[in-house]
Each structure stands twice: as C-alpha cells, then as structure tokens.
Amino acid sequence: MIEPDYWRQLDLISAEQLDFPIALIGAGGIGSPLALALAKMGCKRLALYDPDTVEAHNLPNQMYRLSDIGRPKVAALAELLTDFAPLQLDVRQERVEAQTLRGVVLSGVDSMASRSGIWQGCVRYRAGIPLYVDARMGAEVCRVLTVNPVDPDEVRAYEATLHTDDDAAEDACTAQAIIYNTFAVAALVANQVKRYARGEPLERDVIFDLATLTLLKGDQM
Amino acid sequence: MKVRILQLGRKVVDYEAEAGAALEAALAAVGVTVGQGMDVRVNSQPATLATTLNEGDVVTVIPRIKGGAERGPILRRPPSPAVLNTAENYGR
C-alpha cells in the first residue's frame, strides 16, 4: 500500500505522534476542512459525527463536491479522506448528545445549544477525554477554546464562554460563512492538536479576525 | 488623546478623542454600535459605555460568535440510516 511520506513535517509533528483517537463533531464549515487537515497531517484514528446531508448552500464554504449534494456529510467526507490518507474511520450520521466519546474531542457545531449539550452530555469531567477543542466562527471571525475537561479551573473558564444562542451576535444569513475563514479555524484547531501531541503549551482561548487581521489570545482579549 | 478602537469582524480605527472622553462617545464618533451579543473591553478589561478613556487605551468590541456548520435557509431532508460504517458509504 502506498503511504504518504511525512518527512517535510517531521520536525513539526510525525504521524506516529498522532496515533491516538480523535472524535470530530460536526462535518460542516469547521469540521470538513479540519478533517482534511488532520488526515493530511497524519492523524490515524478519526471518528466523524454529523446528522446532516450535503445541500447546495454548503458547497461554497465546505469541502463537498457538486456530486455530494443529497449525501450524508459524514459519508461524503469519509470518501474524500480515504482518497487523501490511510485512516481508521468511524463514520456516524448522528447528532452527538450523550454518546461515550474517547480521545481528543474536537467540536465544530452550529449553535450554542448544541455546544452546551455536548459539553454536559459527553465531555465535562469525562476521564476518557484528555482534550476538548470547541471551535466557533461567524463571518470573518473565529474563536478556538481548548479545555482539559477534568481540570476544574479550565472547566470553570470554559463554562463562562457558554452563553446562550440568544446572547450571541447575529450575523445576517448572507454573512455567516466564507471559505477562507473555515481554513483559518481549521488551522487553529489542527495546531492545537499538534501542540497536544507534542506536549507543547496549549492556547486556551484564541480569537482570529480576518477583517482586521487581528489575533488575540488569553488575557489579550 | 489617541485611542485605538478595534471592532472585531469590522474595522480598526485610531481615534483622537477628547481627554476624559467616555467610551460611548468615542464609539459613536467612529460609527461603532455595540449591539446584542457584543462584549466591550478596554485594555483587556471588561468595560461599560460609561467607562472613561485614557491616552493610549485599546478598546476591543468582541462579537460572541456561535457558528460552525451553519443552518441553511431550506428545510433539511430526513436523515438516512444512523450508522454508515459500510463499504458502500466509503465509496472506494
């Protein structure tokens, strides 16, 4: 079997360092480019969760092809991923609510209600999850929050960001997503995965804004 | 006095404000409206519209974003079978 040659990134991360389970919740604007980044980096074991099917309005800002319209997102994404890299995939067309998740959990869902449900139902104080990354985006802004879900201080800090959907800023329906922002947020999350894999310091809260080309982290906000 | 007003997702403006100006006046002068779902900070500290500005302050207006796999305007199709770990669904 032909294997990718990772030598150009060996001093950054090796595929062997990425051989741990990753659960990716959401295969949309955040999840689909993130999955491709993880596969290209050399991640070996990936579980994909998303209940939705590909629709025409997904094509401009998600990784799907014209021929994917009407297909389950997770099935279309799995096909793309297996074209790119050898992976062990666990593909589930389901909403994450109370499943038992294992390994690093990455979330790119579409509402604060979903985030709160995932956090309470599957992540908070779960010993089998060493790292949880919650990615959010709107228009040209993205935010990435990284939590050790069994650390009380980090739990407290993360929960302070779990506002309701009613308390969120409202983007116009026609100003919610653009492809280059999905690449930016995927890059920030994949970088956190690399940091975790190498035992490097993690950034607990990062905001990147392409409109003003500003990056804020932690206490800079 | 100079202050910098950074409205994430929109613009960044360096503004010459009057000494002792209130945050509300400075934001209005540069056309920044603090609407629903916005947090305002001055030099990384939470602020209100009544906060008094000082030389060199950095005002940041941060939207509370929530998106990801955004919902579309059209009705969704019913989901197909729950578990797709089949060779058929891997395509090749």
Side-chain angles (χ1 to χ4, degrees), chain A residues 161-175:
Chain A
T161 75
L162 286 176
H163 53 79
T164 66
D165 285 294
D166 287 343
D167 284 336
E170 277 298 332
D171 291 316
C173 289
T174 50

Side-chain angles (χ1 to χ4, degrees), chain A residues 28 30 52 55 57 62 72 74-75 79 83 89-91 93 95 109-110 112 115 136-137 141-143 163 165-170 176 207 209 211-212 214 219-221, chain B residues 6-12 36-38 41 44-45 60 62-77 79-85 89-92:
Chain A
I30 294 170
D52 291 339
E55 298 177 22
H57 68 88
Q62 301 179 18
V74 287
E79 187 177 293
D83 271 352
L89 287 173
D90 183 9
V91 183
Q93 190 187 6
R95 186 175 302 281
V109 296
D110 58 2
M112 295 310 298
R115 284 188 179 84
R136 308 173 186 178
M137 68 172 190
V141 184
C142 58
R143 184 175 188 180
H163 53 79
D165 285 294
D166 287 343
D167 284 336
E170 277 298 332
Q176 289 182 344
I207 292 179
D209 171 29
T212 60
T214 301
D219 56 11
Q220 296 174 340
M221 290 178 198
Chain B
L6 171 60
Q7 183 185 26
L8 293 182
R10 301 289 181 196
K11 60 187 176 184
V12 56
Q36 177 193 336
M38 300 283 181
R41 302 189 186 168
S44 306
Q45 299 300 312
T60 312
I62 304 174
R64 290 184 213 132
I65 53 176
K66 64 176 180 180
E70 88 293 347
R71 296 285 168 190
I74 51 179
L75 292 175
R76 296 182 169 266
R77 296 173 183 82
S80 40
V83 178
L84 299 174
N85 291 315
N89 284 311
Y90 283 96
R92 63 193 79 132

Side-chain angles (χ1 to χ4, degrees), chain A residues 19-91:
Chain A
D19 191 5
F20 51 80
I22 297 175
L24 176 56
I25 307 170
I30 294 170
S32 62
L34 175 57
L36 296 184
L38 297 173
K40 287 282 190 184
M41 277 169 65
C43 293
K44 303 287 188 195
R45 292 182 272 162
L46 197 55
L48 306 174
Y49 294 84
D50 195 301
D52 291 339
T53 53
V54 178
E55 298 177 22
H57 68 88
N58 299 139
L59 297 190
N61 53 63
Q62 301 179 18
M63 293 294 102
Y64 301 107
R65 303 159 294 191
L66 288 166
S67 58
D68 290 327
I69 291 176
R71 299 180 68 198
K73 286 185 176 179
V74 287
L77 187 55
E79 187 177 293
L80 286 168
L81 294 176
T82 50
D83 271 352
F84 281 147
L87 284 166
Q88 293 174 38
L89 287 173
D90 183 9
V91 183

Side-chain angles (χ1 to χ4, degrees), chain A residues 131-148:
Chain A
L131 185 75
Y132 177 63
V133 183
D134 172 6
R136 308 173 186 178
M137 68 172 190
E140 293 187 294
V141 184
C142 58
R143 184 175 188 180
V144 174
L145 295 131
T146 301
V147 193
N148 175 349

